[in-house]
Short mmCIF file of all heavy atoms in Angstrom, two decimals:
data_model
loop_
_atom_site.label_atom_id
_atom_site.label_comp_id
_atom_site.label_asym_id
_atom_site.label_seq_id
_atom_site.Cartn_x
_atom_site.Cartn_y
_atom_site.Cartn_z
N ARG T 198 -22.03 14.84 -12.61
CA ARG T 198 -21.58 14.67 -13.99
C ARG T 198 -20.21 15.30 -14.28
O ARG T 198 -19.92 16.30 -13.71
CB ARG T 198 -22.71 15.25 -14.88
CG ARG T 198 -23.99 14.48 -14.83
CD ARG T 198 -25.13 15.10 -15.68
NE ARG T 198 -26.27 14.30 -15.61
CZ ARG T 198 -27.21 14.34 -14.64
NH1 ARG T 198 -26.97 15.15 -13.52
NH2 ARG T 198 -28.30 13.50 -14.59
N CYS T 199 -19.55 14.65 -15.22
CA CYS T 199 -18.30 15.06 -15.65
C CYS T 199 -18.01 14.99 -17.05
O CYS T 199 -18.34 13.98 -17.68
CB CYS T 199 -17.16 14.37 -14.75
SG CYS T 199 -15.52 14.55 -15.34
N SER T 200 -17.51 16.03 -17.82
CA SER T 200 -17.05 15.92 -19.12
C SER T 200 -15.51 16.13 -19.23
O SER T 200 -15.06 17.13 -18.76
CB SER T 200 -17.70 16.98 -19.91
OG SER T 200 -19.10 16.82 -20.05
N PRO T 201 -14.81 15.16 -19.82
CA PRO T 201 -13.38 15.30 -19.81
C PRO T 201 -12.94 16.22 -20.84
O PRO T 201 -13.70 16.70 -21.69
CB PRO T 201 -12.98 13.80 -20.06
CG PRO T 201 -14.04 13.24 -20.94
CD PRO T 201 -15.33 13.86 -20.33
N ILE T 202 -11.67 16.47 -20.85
CA ILE T 202 -11.00 17.33 -21.83
C ILE T 202 -11.05 16.52 -23.18
O ILE T 202 -11.04 15.24 -23.23
CB ILE T 202 -9.44 17.47 -21.52
CG1 ILE T 202 -9.38 18.39 -20.32
CG2 ILE T 202 -8.75 18.03 -22.71
CD1 ILE T 202 -8.02 18.58 -19.74
N SER T 203 -11.34 17.24 -24.27
CA SER T 203 -11.50 16.58 -25.61
C SER T 203 -10.24 15.75 -25.94
O SER T 203 -9.13 16.22 -25.75
CB SER T 203 -11.69 17.65 -26.67
OG SER T 203 -11.71 17.09 -27.92
N GLY T 204 -10.49 14.50 -26.30
CA GLY T 204 -9.38 13.56 -26.57
C GLY T 204 -9.04 12.70 -25.43
O GLY T 204 -8.22 11.68 -25.69
N HIS T 205 -9.45 13.10 -24.29
CA HIS T 205 -9.13 12.19 -23.10
C HIS T 205 -10.19 11.12 -22.96
O HIS T 205 -11.37 11.34 -23.02
CB HIS T 205 -9.16 13.02 -21.85
CG HIS T 205 -7.88 13.94 -21.63
ND1 HIS T 205 -7.58 14.56 -20.45
CD2 HIS T 205 -7.03 14.32 -22.64
CE1 HIS T 205 -6.47 15.23 -20.76
NE2 HIS T 205 -6.16 15.11 -21.91
N LYS T 206 -9.70 9.90 -22.70
CA LYS T 206 -10.55 8.77 -22.68
C LYS T 206 -10.76 8.20 -21.36
O LYS T 206 -11.51 7.21 -21.13
CB LYS T 206 -9.99 7.58 -23.62
CG LYS T 206 -10.03 7.99 -25.11
CD LYS T 206 -9.53 6.89 -26.01
CE LYS T 206 -9.59 7.34 -27.43
NZ LYS T 206 -9.17 6.23 -28.33
N SER T 207 -10.02 8.66 -20.30
CA SER T 207 -10.04 8.16 -19.01
C SER T 207 -10.62 9.15 -17.97
O SER T 207 -10.20 10.38 -18.11
CB SER T 207 -8.63 7.72 -18.49
OG SER T 207 -8.61 7.43 -17.18
N VAL T 208 -11.51 8.76 -17.16
CA VAL T 208 -12.07 9.62 -16.22
C VAL T 208 -11.96 8.97 -14.81
O VAL T 208 -12.16 7.81 -14.64
CB VAL T 208 -13.48 9.94 -16.42
CG1 VAL T 208 -14.24 10.61 -15.28
CG2 VAL T 208 -13.71 10.77 -17.72
N SER T 209 -11.44 9.80 -13.85
CA SER T 209 -11.33 9.24 -12.46
C SER T 209 -12.12 10.22 -11.57
O SER T 209 -12.32 11.37 -11.87
CB SER T 209 -9.85 9.25 -12.06
OG SER T 209 -9.09 8.38 -12.77
N TRP T 210 -12.67 9.67 -10.47
CA TRP T 210 -13.43 10.42 -9.38
C TRP T 210 -12.75 10.27 -8.06
O TRP T 210 -12.22 9.21 -7.75
CB TRP T 210 -14.87 9.78 -9.34
CG TRP T 210 -15.76 10.05 -10.46
CD1 TRP T 210 -15.97 9.24 -11.49
CD2 TRP T 210 -16.59 11.20 -10.56
NE1 TRP T 210 -16.89 9.88 -12.43
CE2 TRP T 210 -17.28 11.09 -11.86
CE3 TRP T 210 -16.81 12.34 -9.90
CZ2 TRP T 210 -18.25 12.00 -12.34
CZ3 TRP T 210 -17.68 13.34 -10.40
CH2 TRP T 210 -18.42 13.13 -11.62
N TYR T 211 -12.70 11.45 -7.41
CA TYR T 211 -12.09 11.55 -6.09
C TYR T 211 -13.06 12.30 -5.18
O TYR T 211 -13.82 13.19 -5.60
CB TYR T 211 -10.79 12.33 -6.15
CG TYR T 211 -9.65 11.74 -6.84
CD1 TYR T 211 -9.56 11.71 -8.24
CD2 TYR T 211 -8.66 11.01 -6.15
CE1 TYR T 211 -8.50 11.03 -8.94
CE2 TYR T 211 -7.56 10.41 -6.79
CZ TYR T 211 -7.50 10.42 -8.19
OH TYR T 211 -6.42 9.80 -8.83
N GLN T 212 -13.02 11.85 -3.90
CA GLN T 212 -13.76 12.51 -2.82
C GLN T 212 -12.87 13.37 -1.95
O GLN T 212 -11.78 12.73 -1.50
CB GLN T 212 -14.54 11.60 -2.00
CG GLN T 212 -15.42 12.15 -0.89
CD GLN T 212 -15.84 11.13 0.10
OE1 GLN T 212 -15.01 10.60 0.90
NE2 GLN T 212 -17.14 10.93 0.24
N GLN T 213 -13.11 14.59 -1.80
CA GLN T 213 -12.27 15.42 -0.87
C GLN T 213 -13.14 15.98 0.26
O GLN T 213 -13.88 16.88 0.05
CB GLN T 213 -11.63 16.60 -1.68
CG GLN T 213 -10.66 17.33 -0.78
CD GLN T 213 -9.96 18.50 -1.48
OE1 GLN T 213 -10.36 18.90 -2.60
NE2 GLN T 213 -8.88 19.01 -0.97
N VAL T 214 -12.93 15.30 1.49
CA VAL T 214 -13.74 15.89 2.64
C VAL T 214 -12.90 17.08 3.17
O VAL T 214 -11.70 17.22 2.97
CB VAL T 214 -13.64 14.73 3.78
CG1 VAL T 214 -14.15 15.26 5.00
CG2 VAL T 214 -14.49 13.55 3.26
N LEU T 215 -13.70 17.98 3.67
CA LEU T 215 -13.05 19.33 4.12
C LEU T 215 -11.91 19.12 4.99
O LEU T 215 -11.93 18.36 6.00
CB LEU T 215 -14.14 20.05 4.81
CG LEU T 215 -13.89 21.60 5.10
CD1 LEU T 215 -13.69 22.40 3.71
CD2 LEU T 215 -14.92 22.17 5.92
N GLY T 216 -10.81 19.73 4.62
CA GLY T 216 -9.59 19.67 5.46
C GLY T 216 -8.68 18.42 5.25
O GLY T 216 -7.69 18.17 5.92
N GLN T 217 -9.09 17.57 4.22
CA GLN T 217 -8.35 16.39 3.87
C GLN T 217 -7.89 16.42 2.44
O GLN T 217 -8.43 17.15 1.56
CB GLN T 217 -9.11 15.19 4.17
CG GLN T 217 -9.55 15.00 5.66
CD GLN T 217 -10.30 13.65 5.87
OE1 GLN T 217 -10.23 12.78 5.13
NE2 GLN T 217 -11.00 13.62 7.03
N GLY T 218 -7.02 15.51 2.04
CA GLY T 218 -6.55 15.28 0.67
C GLY T 218 -7.66 14.50 -0.03
O GLY T 218 -8.49 13.76 0.49
N PRO T 219 -7.76 14.59 -1.37
CA PRO T 219 -8.67 13.76 -2.22
C PRO T 219 -8.42 12.21 -1.96
O PRO T 219 -7.25 11.82 -1.87
CB PRO T 219 -8.36 14.29 -3.67
CG PRO T 219 -7.69 15.54 -3.49
CD PRO T 219 -6.84 15.48 -2.18
N GLN T 220 -9.46 11.49 -2.03
CA GLN T 220 -9.34 9.98 -2.01
C GLN T 220 -10.04 9.45 -3.29
O GLN T 220 -11.10 9.83 -3.63
CB GLN T 220 -10.17 9.48 -0.77
CG GLN T 220 -9.40 9.66 0.53
CD GLN T 220 -10.01 8.73 1.64
OE1 GLN T 220 -11.20 8.81 1.98
NE2 GLN T 220 -9.21 7.72 2.05
N PHE T 221 -9.28 8.49 -3.79
CA PHE T 221 -9.75 7.89 -5.11
C PHE T 221 -10.96 7.04 -4.88
O PHE T 221 -11.04 6.24 -3.91
CB PHE T 221 -8.58 6.97 -5.63
CG PHE T 221 -8.86 6.23 -6.79
CD1 PHE T 221 -8.96 6.78 -8.01
CD2 PHE T 221 -9.10 4.83 -6.74
CE1 PHE T 221 -9.15 5.94 -9.25
CE2 PHE T 221 -9.33 4.12 -7.77
CZ PHE T 221 -9.36 4.64 -9.02
N ILE T 222 -11.92 7.32 -5.75
CA ILE T 222 -13.16 6.44 -5.79
C ILE T 222 -13.15 5.50 -6.93
O ILE T 222 -13.35 4.31 -6.74
CB ILE T 222 -14.38 7.30 -5.86
CG1 ILE T 222 -14.44 8.45 -4.86
CG2 ILE T 222 -15.68 6.51 -5.63
CD1 ILE T 222 -15.61 9.48 -5.07
N PHE T 223 -13.09 5.99 -8.12
CA PHE T 223 -13.24 5.12 -9.40
C PHE T 223 -12.34 5.67 -10.45
O PHE T 223 -12.02 6.85 -10.51
CB PHE T 223 -14.58 5.22 -10.01
CG PHE T 223 -15.66 4.44 -9.19
CD1 PHE T 223 -16.59 5.12 -8.68
CD2 PHE T 223 -15.61 3.02 -9.19
CE1 PHE T 223 -17.68 4.46 -7.96
CE2 PHE T 223 -16.61 2.34 -8.51
CZ PHE T 223 -17.71 3.06 -7.85
N GLN T 224 -11.91 4.68 -11.43
CA GLN T 224 -11.40 5.20 -12.69
C GLN T 224 -12.05 4.38 -13.73
O GLN T 224 -12.32 3.24 -13.54
CB GLN T 224 -9.92 4.85 -12.83
CG GLN T 224 -9.40 5.48 -14.12
CD GLN T 224 -8.19 4.78 -14.79
OE1 GLN T 224 -8.11 3.49 -14.53
NE2 GLN T 224 -7.42 5.32 -15.58
N TYR T 225 -12.51 5.05 -14.83
CA TYR T 225 -13.17 4.48 -16.01
C TYR T 225 -12.34 4.83 -17.22
O TYR T 225 -11.73 5.87 -17.37
CB TYR T 225 -14.55 4.96 -16.20
CG TYR T 225 -15.50 4.17 -15.41
CD1 TYR T 225 -15.59 4.39 -13.99
CD2 TYR T 225 -16.33 3.15 -15.95
CE1 TYR T 225 -16.60 3.60 -13.24
CE2 TYR T 225 -17.22 2.43 -15.19
CZ TYR T 225 -17.27 2.68 -13.86
OH TYR T 225 -18.13 1.88 -13.07
N TYR T 226 -12.14 3.80 -18.02
CA TYR T 226 -11.47 3.99 -19.33
C TYR T 226 -12.24 3.13 -20.40
O TYR T 226 -12.50 2.02 -20.25
CB TYR T 226 -10.04 3.53 -19.21
CG TYR T 226 -9.28 3.55 -20.54
CD1 TYR T 226 -8.81 4.80 -21.03
CD2 TYR T 226 -8.90 2.47 -21.23
CE1 TYR T 226 -8.09 4.90 -22.21
CE2 TYR T 226 -8.20 2.46 -22.38
CZ TYR T 226 -7.81 3.74 -22.90
OH TYR T 226 -7.11 3.79 -24.07
N GLU T 227 -12.52 3.82 -21.51
CA GLU T 227 -13.21 3.14 -22.56
C GLU T 227 -14.50 2.48 -21.98
O GLU T 227 -14.78 1.29 -22.41
CB GLU T 227 -12.33 2.17 -23.28
CG GLU T 227 -11.24 2.84 -24.06
CD GLU T 227 -11.72 3.45 -25.43
OE1 GLU T 227 -12.93 3.67 -25.65
OE2 GLU T 227 -10.86 3.85 -26.28
N LYS T 228 -15.17 3.08 -21.18
CA LYS T 228 -16.44 2.72 -20.52
C LYS T 228 -16.32 1.44 -19.63
O LYS T 228 -17.39 0.98 -19.25
CB LYS T 228 -17.46 2.29 -21.71
CG LYS T 228 -17.85 3.52 -22.60
CD LYS T 228 -18.75 3.14 -23.67
CE LYS T 228 -18.08 2.28 -24.71
NZ LYS T 228 -18.86 1.92 -25.89
N GLU T 229 -15.11 1.04 -19.29
CA GLU T 229 -14.93 -0.03 -18.33
C GLU T 229 -14.34 0.51 -17.02
O GLU T 229 -13.47 1.40 -17.07
CB GLU T 229 -14.02 -1.15 -18.97
CG GLU T 229 -14.68 -1.79 -20.10
CD GLU T 229 -13.88 -2.95 -20.53
OE1 GLU T 229 -12.75 -3.21 -19.97
OE2 GLU T 229 -14.27 -3.73 -21.45
N GLU T 230 -14.66 -0.01 -15.98
CA GLU T 230 -14.10 0.29 -14.57
C GLU T 230 -12.66 -0.30 -14.70
O GLU T 230 -12.53 -1.49 -14.66
CB GLU T 230 -15.00 -0.25 -13.52
CG GLU T 230 -14.34 0.13 -12.13
CD GLU T 230 -15.28 -0.52 -10.96
OE1 GLU T 230 -16.40 -0.17 -10.89
OE2 GLU T 230 -14.71 -1.24 -10.15
N ARG T 231 -11.64 0.54 -14.35
CA ARG T 231 -10.34 0.05 -14.33
C ARG T 231 -9.72 0.16 -12.90
O ARG T 231 -8.65 -0.37 -12.71
CB ARG T 231 -9.37 0.94 -15.23
CG ARG T 231 -9.86 0.69 -16.73
CD ARG T 231 -9.59 -0.76 -17.12
NE ARG T 231 -9.84 -1.00 -18.59
CZ ARG T 231 -8.84 -0.92 -19.58
NH1 ARG T 231 -7.62 -0.73 -19.12
NH2 ARG T 231 -9.23 -1.13 -20.88
N GLY T 232 -10.44 0.85 -12.04
CA GLY T 232 -9.87 0.95 -10.65
C GLY T 232 -10.98 1.40 -9.75
O GLY T 232 -11.85 2.10 -10.06
N ARG T 233 -10.97 0.87 -8.49
CA ARG T 233 -11.94 1.21 -7.53
C ARG T 233 -11.30 1.41 -6.19
O ARG T 233 -10.48 0.56 -5.80
CB ARG T 233 -13.06 0.15 -7.48
CG ARG T 233 -14.16 0.48 -6.45
CD ARG T 233 -15.13 -0.65 -6.43
NE ARG T 233 -16.29 -0.30 -5.50
CZ ARG T 233 -17.48 -0.06 -5.96
NH1 ARG T 233 -17.71 -0.28 -7.30
NH2 ARG T 233 -18.49 0.24 -5.20
N GLY T 234 -11.57 2.48 -5.48
CA GLY T 234 -11.06 2.80 -4.21
C GLY T 234 -11.85 2.05 -3.03
O GLY T 234 -12.79 1.33 -3.35
N ASN T 235 -11.61 2.33 -1.86
CA ASN T 235 -12.24 1.73 -0.77
C ASN T 235 -13.49 2.51 -0.35
O ASN T 235 -13.55 3.20 0.70
CB ASN T 235 -11.26 1.76 0.44
CG ASN T 235 -11.72 0.93 1.60
OD1 ASN T 235 -12.63 -0.04 1.39
ND2 ASN T 235 -11.33 1.19 2.88
N PHE T 236 -14.45 2.44 -1.14
CA PHE T 236 -15.80 3.09 -0.87
C PHE T 236 -16.91 1.98 -0.99
O PHE T 236 -16.70 1.05 -1.66
CB PHE T 236 -15.98 4.03 -2.00
CG PHE T 236 -15.29 5.38 -1.70
CD1 PHE T 236 -13.99 5.60 -2.04
CD2 PHE T 236 -15.96 6.53 -1.12
CE1 PHE T 236 -13.36 6.69 -1.75
CE2 PHE T 236 -15.34 7.56 -0.88
CZ PHE T 236 -13.94 7.72 -1.08
N PRO T 237 -17.95 2.20 -0.23
CA PRO T 237 -19.05 1.31 -0.19
C PRO T 237 -19.75 1.15 -1.55
O PRO T 237 -19.66 2.04 -2.44
CB PRO T 237 -19.94 1.73 0.95
CG PRO T 237 -19.56 3.16 0.94
CD PRO T 237 -18.23 3.31 0.56
N ASP T 238 -20.63 0.15 -1.64
CA ASP T 238 -21.29 -0.08 -2.90
C ASP T 238 -22.44 0.94 -3.22
O ASP T 238 -22.98 0.96 -4.21
CB ASP T 238 -22.05 -1.51 -2.77
CG ASP T 238 -21.02 -2.65 -2.87
OD1 ASP T 238 -19.93 -2.31 -3.26
OD2 ASP T 238 -21.37 -3.73 -2.54
N ARG T 239 -22.66 1.84 -2.22
CA ARG T 239 -23.63 2.93 -2.48
C ARG T 239 -23.05 3.86 -3.54
O ARG T 239 -23.72 4.69 -4.11
CB ARG T 239 -23.81 3.75 -1.23
CG ARG T 239 -24.39 3.01 -0.01
CD ARG T 239 -24.69 3.98 1.07
NE ARG T 239 -23.40 4.51 1.70
CZ ARG T 239 -23.14 5.74 1.58
NH1 ARG T 239 -23.86 6.60 0.89
NH2 ARG T 239 -22.05 6.25 2.12
N PHE T 240 -21.71 3.84 -3.81
CA PHE T 240 -21.13 4.60 -4.76
C PHE T 240 -21.03 3.74 -6.03
O PHE T 240 -20.51 2.62 -6.02
CB PHE T 240 -19.72 5.01 -4.40
CG PHE T 240 -19.69 6.02 -3.25
CD1 PHE T 240 -20.03 5.69 -1.95
CD2 PHE T 240 -19.40 7.38 -3.49
CE1 PHE T 240 -19.99 6.69 -0.94
CE2 PHE T 240 -19.33 8.36 -2.55
CZ PHE T 240 -19.75 7.95 -1.32
N SER T 241 -21.40 4.38 -7.17
CA SER T 241 -21.28 3.67 -8.46
C SER T 241 -20.98 4.75 -9.52
O SER T 241 -21.24 5.94 -9.31
CB SER T 241 -22.60 2.87 -8.81
OG SER T 241 -23.66 3.79 -8.94
N ALA T 242 -20.48 4.34 -10.65
CA ALA T 242 -20.20 5.28 -11.77
C ALA T 242 -20.43 4.60 -13.12
O ALA T 242 -20.52 3.36 -13.15
CB ALA T 242 -18.82 5.86 -11.56
N ARG T 243 -20.40 5.37 -14.10
CA ARG T 243 -20.45 4.76 -15.49
C ARG T 243 -19.79 5.81 -16.47
O ARG T 243 -19.66 7.00 -16.10
CB ARG T 243 -21.76 4.40 -15.98
CG ARG T 243 -22.85 5.56 -15.85
CD ARG T 243 -24.20 5.04 -16.41
NE ARG T 243 -25.26 6.10 -16.29
CZ ARG T 243 -26.41 5.86 -16.85
NH1 ARG T 243 -26.75 4.90 -17.52
NH2 ARG T 243 -27.30 6.87 -16.62
N GLN T 244 -19.38 5.31 -17.56
CA GLN T 244 -18.82 6.17 -18.57
C GLN T 244 -19.54 6.01 -19.91
O GLN T 244 -19.82 4.89 -20.23
CB GLN T 244 -17.26 6.00 -18.74
CG GLN T 244 -16.60 7.01 -19.66
CD GLN T 244 -15.09 6.80 -19.76
OE1 GLN T 244 -14.64 5.64 -19.73
NE2 GLN T 244 -14.33 7.82 -19.98
N PHE T 245 -19.78 7.05 -20.56
CA PHE T 245 -20.58 6.99 -21.83
C PHE T 245 -19.65 6.97 -23.03
O PHE T 245 -18.51 7.22 -22.92
CB PHE T 245 -21.52 8.28 -21.81
CG PHE T 245 -22.47 8.18 -20.64
CD1 PHE T 245 -22.20 9.09 -19.60
CD2 PHE T 245 -23.66 7.47 -20.70
CE1 PHE T 245 -23.08 9.05 -18.50
CE2 PHE T 245 -24.49 7.47 -19.57
CZ PHE T 245 -24.24 8.35 -18.48
N PRO T 246 -20.31 6.64 -24.22
CA PRO T 246 -19.56 6.55 -25.44
C PRO T 246 -18.67 7.81 -25.73
O PRO T 246 -17.70 7.78 -26.44
CB PRO T 246 -20.53 6.33 -26.58
CG PRO T 246 -21.55 5.49 -25.69
CD PRO T 246 -21.64 6.10 -24.40
N ASN T 247 -19.21 9.05 -25.38
CA ASN T 247 -18.54 10.26 -25.57
C ASN T 247 -17.46 10.56 -24.46
O ASN T 247 -16.92 11.60 -24.40
CB ASN T 247 -19.45 11.46 -25.65
CG ASN T 247 -20.16 11.69 -24.38
OD1 ASN T 247 -20.11 10.98 -23.41
ND2 ASN T 247 -20.96 12.82 -24.36
N TYR T 248 -17.25 9.52 -23.57
CA TYR T 248 -16.18 9.58 -22.49
C TYR T 248 -16.70 10.46 -21.26
O TYR T 248 -15.89 10.56 -20.32
CB TYR T 248 -14.88 9.99 -22.99
CG TYR T 248 -14.37 9.09 -24.10
CD1 TYR T 248 -14.31 9.58 -25.42
CD2 TYR T 248 -13.98 7.71 -23.85
CE1 TYR T 248 -13.84 8.74 -26.52
CE2 TYR T 248 -13.64 6.85 -24.83
CZ TYR T 248 -13.51 7.40 -26.17
OH TYR T 248 -13.14 6.61 -27.22
N SER T 249 -17.78 11.02 -21.29
CA SER T 249 -18.33 11.75 -20.15
C SER T 249 -18.58 10.64 -19.10
O SER T 249 -18.74 9.44 -19.38
CB SER T 249 -19.44 12.56 -20.48
OG SER T 249 -20.58 11.80 -20.89
N SER T 250 -18.82 11.13 -17.88
CA SER T 250 -19.11 10.17 -16.77
C SER T 250 -20.04 10.74 -15.80
O SER T 250 -20.18 11.95 -15.65
CB SER T 250 -17.76 9.82 -16.11
OG SER T 250 -17.87 8.94 -15.04
N GLU T 251 -20.73 9.75 -15.11
CA GLU T 251 -21.52 10.11 -13.99
C GLU T 251 -21.12 9.29 -12.75
O GLU T 251 -20.78 8.16 -12.85
CB GLU T 251 -23.01 9.70 -14.29
CG GLU T 251 -23.71 10.62 -15.29
CD GLU T 251 -25.12 10.24 -15.50
OE1 GLU T 251 -25.54 9.01 -15.03
OE2 GLU T 251 -25.95 10.95 -16.12
N LEU T 252 -21.26 9.94 -11.63
CA LEU T 252 -20.99 9.30 -10.41
C LEU T 252 -22.33 9.41 -9.62
O LEU T 252 -22.97 10.42 -9.48
CB LEU T 252 -19.98 10.02 -9.49
CG LEU T 252 -19.77 9.52 -8.10
CD1 LEU T 252 -19.08 8.19 -8.09
CD2 LEU T 252 -18.96 10.58 -7.29
N ASN T 253 -22.77 8.21 -9.05
CA ASN T 253 -24.02 8.04 -8.43
C ASN T 253 -23.73 7.73 -6.94
O ASN T 253 -22.94 6.80 -6.72
CB ASN T 253 -24.98 7.00 -8.95
CG ASN T 253 -25.36 7.40 -10.40
OD1 ASN T 253 -26.32 8.29 -10.60
ND2 ASN T 253 -24.73 6.87 -11.38
N VAL T 254 -24.36 8.31 -6.10
CA VAL T 254 -24.32 7.84 -4.61
C VAL T 254 -25.76 7.69 -4.16
O VAL T 254 -26.56 8.67 -4.22
CB VAL T 254 -23.54 8.92 -3.81
CG1 VAL T 254 -23.39 8.46 -2.38
CG2 VAL T 254 -22.30 9.39 -4.39
N ASN T 255 -25.97 6.45 -3.65
CA ASN T 255 -27.32 6.16 -3.11
C ASN T 255 -27.33 6.31 -1.51
O ASN T 255 -26.26 6.23 -0.87
CB ASN T 255 -27.72 4.76 -3.45
CG ASN T 255 -27.90 4.56 -4.91
OD1 ASN T 255 -28.46 5.48 -5.66
ND2 ASN T 255 -27.50 3.51 -5.54
N ALA T 256 -28.46 6.37 -0.97
CA ALA T 256 -28.65 6.44 0.55
C ALA T 256 -27.71 7.25 1.18
O ALA T 256 -26.87 6.84 1.98
CB ALA T 256 -28.59 4.94 0.95
N LEU T 257 -27.78 8.52 0.81
CA LEU T 257 -26.68 9.55 1.29
C LEU T 257 -26.63 9.63 2.83
O LEU T 257 -27.70 9.54 3.53
CB LEU T 257 -26.99 10.94 0.76
CG LEU T 257 -26.76 11.14 -0.73
CD1 LEU T 257 -27.35 12.39 -1.25
CD2 LEU T 257 -25.26 11.12 -0.97
N LEU T 258 -25.38 9.73 3.29
CA LEU T 258 -25.09 9.82 4.67
C LEU T 258 -24.46 11.23 4.91
O LEU T 258 -23.96 11.81 3.94
CB LEU T 258 -24.11 8.79 5.10
CG LEU T 258 -24.61 7.36 4.95
CD1 LEU T 258 -23.45 6.37 5.33
CD2 LEU T 258 -25.77 6.98 5.76
N LEU T 259 -24.52 11.76 6.10
CA LEU T 259 -23.95 13.05 6.50
C LEU T 259 -22.48 13.03 6.01
O LEU T 259 -21.98 14.07 5.62
CB LEU T 259 -24.14 13.32 7.95
CG LEU T 259 -25.58 13.58 8.41
CD1 LEU T 259 -25.43 13.86 9.88
CD2 LEU T 259 -26.23 14.76 7.62
#
Side-chain angles (χ1 to χ4, degrees):
Chain T
R198 295 176 176 82
C199 171
S200 292
I202 292 171
S203 177
H205 286 196
K206 298 182 178 182
S207 173
V208 169
S209 297
W210 288 95
Y211 290 81
Q212 180 197 64
Q213 186 180 16
V214 173
L215 193 63
Q217 298 181 18
Q220 281 199 298
F221 174 76
I222 309 176
F223 286 112
Q224 187 215 23
Y225 275 77
Y226 177 72
E227 293 281 16
K228 297 176 288 181
E229 291 186 0
E230 183 182 302
R231 293 299 185 94
R233 185 184 184 110
N235 188 25
F236 280 80
D238 292 343
R239 299 185 295 108
F240 289 76
S241 63
R243 56 179 175 168
Q244 187 177 32
F245 299 99
N247 66 353
Y248 304 111
S249 67
S250 177
E251 287 182 350
L252 175 70
N253 295 283
V254 187
N255 294 322
L257 285 167
L258 304 173
L259 294 179

